[in-house]
Amino acid sequence: MPPLQPEAAPLFHVIDPRVFDRAQLDDLCDLTTRVRLLAKHPEGARFLLGLLPDRRAMLYFVQPSTRTFLSFNNACHVLGIRTSEIRDPSTSSEVKGESFEDSIRTFSSYVDVIVMRTPRSGEAARAADLMNRIPRPVPIINAGSGQDQHPTQALLDIYTLDRSFEEQGGIDGKVIGLMGDLKRGRTVRSLCYLMKNYRNVRLVLIAPEQFALEPDIKAHLRENNIPFVDRARLADVLPDLDAIYVTRMQSEWDTAGETGRVNYADYSITSENLGRMKQTAVIMHPLPRGPEIAPAVDDDPRAVYWRQERNGMWMRVAILLKIFRADGVVRDFDISALN
Ligand code: ASP
């Protein structure tokens, strides 16, 4: 891993993955590793717990979430940050007709950071715009906005790729397959935005025609000289891939049973096709999974999605440390003294 970047800029809002440059990504990955190692030791865990006990976070999650909610909640707790939450919009004054802006402004009156997931695209950006106009703004973290973006997922995906390729020169030069519902899945859209930071990465987009990656993201890839090809079936490209990032069909957005017409065999990892993958390849998935990864694949050492899930909590600790500018003390902590 490259050396630390102590001068990397502090974070405020985390809305759009395009703002991250390579130095910030390397810095976040390094910080994530430090936190992960520190937390393994009782003394390190207590040190982390004592870092931000005076901070409060609002978890506003009005779209289903298991991992992102729990990992943010626990990331806050790792650092001593106290949390409050709204997970069901019917319990908020929005049902009385309060505007989205007024609700967000209200949350900001009580806490120091708002982590939010909403079913509508662009709402986290709207919340951040509002914060930039009020006297006591708090950072907004986009924890998934409609079909649009999921920046913290992309950051943990980068961390997982980086860790997986530690002995193989990192992410640079790798061939990465992105498979599944590339049209309606926000994780791939965010991950594509981060790819501009890595040299000579080639993307293979594997999706049914009706769920192909949207033109805006393809335009971004072209503008940033990231080569990509579209393929209709995994079988055609499997042996070439260094990583396969599998996603589920986002059936919650179906209007006329579109998911039902997908031939899953072309977009799935099974024990049978594992034999055609490189020995050094990695299989990732943002989860939850559907039939696109057979449970038997979990036992293969190339399946890293459970590690990826856990990395999510550590990366979110690192993001919170950066936001609250508490990363410096973590860097200064001598981890070797704990061993
Ligand atoms: N958990 C991810 C998301 O919230 C992926 C998914 O739901 O398929 O976007």
Side-chain angles (χ1 to χ4, degrees):
M1 193 171 281
L4 283 177
Q5 307 283 341
E7 74 285 5
L11 288 178
F12 197 66
H13 304 304
V14 180
I15 303 294
D16 183 337
R18 281 172 291 191
V19 302
F20 289 97
D21 62 21
R22 178 68 181 261
Q24 283 172 312
L25 294 175
D26 288 345
D27 178 57
L28 271 171
C29 287
D30 188 84
L31 192 57
T32 303
T33 296
R34 280 173 187 269
V35 165
R36 194 167 53 76
L37 298 178
L38 266 173
K40 282 187 201 283
H41 297 267
E43 196 188 317
R46 278 194 298 274
F47 162 74
L48 291 169
L49 188 61
L51 286 179
L52 295 167
D54 54 338
R55 300 297 180 152
R56 292 183 297 276
M58 171 78 198
L59 305 178
Y60 176 63
F61 275 65
V62 289
Q63 195 195 27
S65 174
T66 302
R67 271 150 290 271
T68 308
F69 175 80
L70 285 175
S71 63
F72 261 119
N73 199 27
N74 284 290
C76 286
H77 297 166
V78 165
L79 295 171
I81 300 174
R82 282 159 297 156
T83 52
S84 36
E85 67 191 57
I86 288 185
R87 299 206 65 182
D88 177 356
S90 71
T91 65
S92 121
S93 280
E94 282 175 278
V95 286
K96 299 181 189 167
E98 184 167 58
S99 69
F100 171 74
E101 269 77 11
D102 283 2
S103 297
I104 296 293
R105 188 164 181 168
T106 301
F107 305 152
S108 75
S109 302
Y110 306 128
V111 299
D112 303 296
V113 61
I114 298 172
V115 185
M116 58 182 285
R117 164 170 295 193
T118 64
R120 291 162 299 272
S121 298
E123 273 194 338
R126 259 172 75 192
D129 281 350
L130 169 71
M131 288 300 124
N132 296 339
R133 286 184 273 115
I134 64 173
R136 187 190 171 276
V138 302
I140 303 288
I141 302 179
N142 180 0
S145 50
Q147 297 178 14
D148 178 29
Q149 289 297 321
H150 197 346
T152 64
Q153 174 74 46
L155 292 170
L156 76 91
D157 294 339
I158 286 292
Y159 179 66
T160 305
L161 284 166
D162 205 46
R163 253 185 99 188
S164 302
F165 296 135
E166 215 161 19
E167 318 263 278
Q168 301 166 59
I171 300 174
D172 295 329
K174 298 295 179 291
V175 180
I176 301 175
L178 302 170
M179 180 168 79
D181 191 340
L182 307 187
K183 182 184 174 71
R184 305 177 296 181
R186 54 196 170 198
T187 65
V188 162
R189 293 175 56 83
S190 289
L191 191 54
C192 283
Y193 275 161
L194 291 182
M195 285 300 159
K196 71 173 190 313
N197 294 295
Y198 298 90
R199 285 183 298 278
N200 304 325
V201 165
R202 284 177 293 142
L203 301 180
V204 183
L205 310 175
I206 309 148
E209 207 182 336
Q210 68 275 29
F211 296 141
L213 193 67
E214 289 280 24
D216 63 324
I217 302 292
K218 286 188 170 173
H220 169 90
L221 296 175
R222 284 191 198 95
E223 279 156 27
N224 288 281
N225 300 317
I226 303 164
F228 66 90
V229 290
D230 283 288
R231 291 290 178 264
R233 298 168 62 234
L234 176 64
D236 300 338
V237 292
L238 195 58
D240 306 327
L241 304 177
D242 295 304
I244 174 77
Y245 187 95
V246 187
T247 67
R248 73 183 171 90
M249 298 298 156
Q250 310 275 307
S251 54
E252 66 271 39
W253 301 105
D254 279 4
T255 50
E258 293 88 333
T259 300
R261 290 193 285 280
V262 170
N263 179 9
Y264 266 95
D266 290 335
Y267 308 102
S268 302
I269 306 275
T270 59
S271 304
E272 289 72 57
N273 57 23
L274 280 176
R276 300 187 56 237
M277 286 183 70
K278 286 185 184 176
Q279 278 312 314
T280 51
V282 290
I283 306 164
M284 294 172 60
H285 194 306
L287 302 174
R289 71 172 144 190
E292 64 278 356
I293 298 186
V297 173
D298 296 7
D299 298 331
D300 191 282
R302 292 167 291 185
V304 298
Y305 32 88
W306 296 112
R307 180 190 294 178
Q308 177 186 0
E309 171 180 271
R310 194 162 163 77
N311 285 341
M313 179 172 69
W314 302 126
M315 172 52 83
R316 288 167 174 137
V317 171
I319 291 167
L320 291 162
L321 285 170
K322 292 292 290 180
I323 284 179
F324 292 119
R325 300 178 187 211
D327 48 316
V329 280
V330 173
R331 275 201 207 91
D332 293 344
F333 193 104
D334 181 8
I335 299 179
S336 63
L338 294 175
N339 292 321

